[in-house]
Amino acid sequence: MGIIFPILTGLLLLYADFQSGKKLKKNVHGQFSLKLNRSYKWVGIVCCLIGSFLLNAAISHWNKELAVFAPIAVSMFFGMGIIILVWYYNYQLVFDDRRIISTNWRRKKRTIEWTDIENIKFNATSGYLKLYTKLQKIVVLQHSTGFVEFLRA
């Protein structure tokens, strides 16, 4: 079991890097659209499944020792899974030659013009590329499908 999780993590990161280098096609409006890769969806589903198995085990084998640990473990896996799934389904970055439209995990949209960008920072640990204007900040995730296409723009 100790070797399986590092191998799975490595495979997920390898898949994410492969997807971020994928070439995108423009939509009918002449825009590129970046979304999170499918590994986020599967990690979210697996977390929710683990949470449901733990909930089932806690209900069927309930005792006083589980009274503290079970709710914490179940809520941790369910919470993590739901947050990842919401992030996967809601995050989107649409860009063309003039502007960038970013939709975060809470469906809050931000629009900036390419000419308004004043500062760019990349955090290799988190995989975030942050674009700053005078008033706004847009975050581009490295594991977005087509991230390399965004860097070429």
Side-chain angles (χ1 to χ4, degrees):
M1 228 24 197
I3 190 99
I4 293 173
F5 289 117
I7 290 173
L8 283 176
T9 303
L11 288 174
L12 284 173
L13 288 174
L14 192 68
Y15 176 75
D17 284 341
F18 173 73
Q19 289 294 314
S20 65
K22 199 174 189 180
K23 188 160 176 79
L24 295 177
K25 294 180 182 175
K26 290 183 179 182
N27 63 15
V28 293
H29 303 291
Q31 300 171 324
F32 292 104
S33 178
L34 273 65
K35 293 190 68 72
L36 290 177
N37 64 60
R38 287 194 181 133
S39 63
Y40 281 82
K41 178 181 180 180
W42 291 109
V43 168
I45 290 171
V46 167
C47 285
C48 287
L49 284 175
I50 291 171
S52 65
F53 287 134
L54 289 175
L55 180 64
N56 184 28
I59 290 172
S60 62
H61 303 292
W62 186 258
N63 59 37
K64 288 186 179 183
E65 287 120 18
L66 291 176
V68 174
F69 173 72
I72 291 172
V74 168
S75 62
M76 180 180 73
F77 278 103
F78 266 130
M80 205 168 29
I82 289 170
I83 287 171
I84 292 171
L85 285 172
V86 166
W87 197 19
Y88 171 78
Y89 283 111
N90 290 342
Y91 175 78
Q92 184 178 19
L93 187 99
V94 178
F95 66 96
D96 56 14
D97 296 335
R98 291 181 335 154
R99 64 182 175 199
I100 306 166
I101 303 167
S102 173
T103 307
N104 68 7
W105 66 279
R106 292 178 283 166
R107 292 190 178 171
K108 184 178 178 186
K109 288 191 177 190
R110 291 186 178 149
T111 303
I112 63 170
E113 302 287 326
W114 282 104
T115 56
D116 294 341
I117 297 174
E118 294 182 347
N119 194 8
I120 299 173
K121 291 183 181 177
F122 180 70
N123 186 340
T125 306
S126 65
Y128 288 170
L129 178 70
K130 296 179 182 178
L131 309 171
Y132 294 94
T133 66
K134 286 184 179 181
L135 302 173
Q136 296 187 69
K137 171 180 79 169
I138 286 184
V139 177
V140 183
L141 301 172
Q142 178 184 1
H143 292 146
S144 299
T145 302
F147 178 73
V148 173
E149 195 72 39
F150 179 80
L151 295 177
R152 289 183 190 142

